[in-house]
């Protein structure tokens, strides 16, 4: 059974079919701040990652599910980048450089979906 986002019912703005959901952060940005005691979409993605990564088909039940899928793909890319690195310092460098690289978006050749 695929795990869907509990945030599908949240009234949130959408951009390009993605819900702009509250996240726990101190950095100002387009996403509203979530209360520290509640789970945000990132917590949900990390919690459901192990189960959802095993499914080939994922029926979207809302814009929050699309965010969940994209975050799952990003976590998968991060884990592939970390594979075989010897220590925490080199892992941090690899992830920082990955964050600054250009990346494929939906519609580009080679995009995961």
């Amino acid at each position: 059974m695929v795990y869907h986002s509990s945030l599908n019912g949240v009234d949130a703005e959408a951009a390009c079919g993605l819900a702009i959901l509250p996240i726990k952060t101190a950095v100002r940005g387009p996403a509203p701040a979530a209360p520290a005691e509640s789970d945000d979409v990132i917590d949900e993605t990390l919690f459901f990652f192990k189960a959802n990564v095993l499914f080939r088909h994922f029926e979207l039940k809302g814009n929050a599910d699309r965010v969940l899928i994209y975050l799952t793909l990003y976590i998968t890319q991060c884990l592939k980048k970390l594979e075989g690195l010897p220590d925490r310092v080199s892992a941090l460098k690899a992830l920082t450089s990955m964050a600054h690289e250009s990346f494929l978006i939906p519609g580009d050749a080679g995009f995961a979906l």
Side-chain angles (χ1 to χ4, degrees), residues 11-27:
D11 185 30
E13 289 184 53
C16 300
L18 296 170
I20 301 174
L21 299 166
I23 57 174
K24 292 187 272 188
T25 182
V27 179

Side-chain angles (χ1 to χ4, degrees), residues 74 78-79 81-101:
Y74 183 74
C78 290
L79 291 173
K81 189 69 104 170
L82 295 174
E83 188 177 7
L85 295 178
D87 59 8
R88 186 178 179 150
V89 174
S90 58
L92 184 59
K93 285 180 184 178
L95 290 179
T96 302
S97 72
M98 182 181 144
H100 290 96
E101 293 173 0

Side-chain angles (χ1 to χ4, degrees), residues 5 10 14 18-19 21-22 24 32 34 38-39 52 54 59 61 70 76 78 83 85 95 104 110-111 113:
S5 176
V10 173
L18 296 170
L21 299 166
K24 292 187 272 188
S38 67
D39 285 346
N52 280 346
L54 298 174
E59 179 187 346
K61 294 198 174 187
Y70 287 149
T76 303
C78 290
E83 188 177 7
L85 295 178
L95 290 179
L104 298 174
F111 184 71
L113 294 178

Side-chain angles (χ1 to χ4, degrees), residues 5 7-8 10 12-13 19-23 31-32 41 63-65 67-68:
S5 176
L7 299 170
N8 276 325
V10 173
E13 289 184 53
I20 301 174
L21 299 166
I23 57 174
V41 70
N63 289 341
D65 277 347
V67 175
L68 188 79

Side-chain angles (χ1 to χ4, degrees), residues 18-64:
L18 296 170
I20 301 174
L21 299 166
I23 57 174
K24 292 187 272 188
T25 182
V27 179
R28 210 176 102 216
E37 64 276 356
S38 67
D39 285 346
D40 63 1
V41 70
I42 298 168
D43 294 328
E44 214 174 53
T45 304
L46 291 171
F47 184 75
F48 291 139
F49 177 78
K50 195 172 183 180
N52 280 346
V53 79
L54 298 174
F55 293 99
R56 291 181 149 233
H57 303 286
F58 192 100
E59 179 187 346
L60 296 176
K61 294 198 174 187
N63 289 341

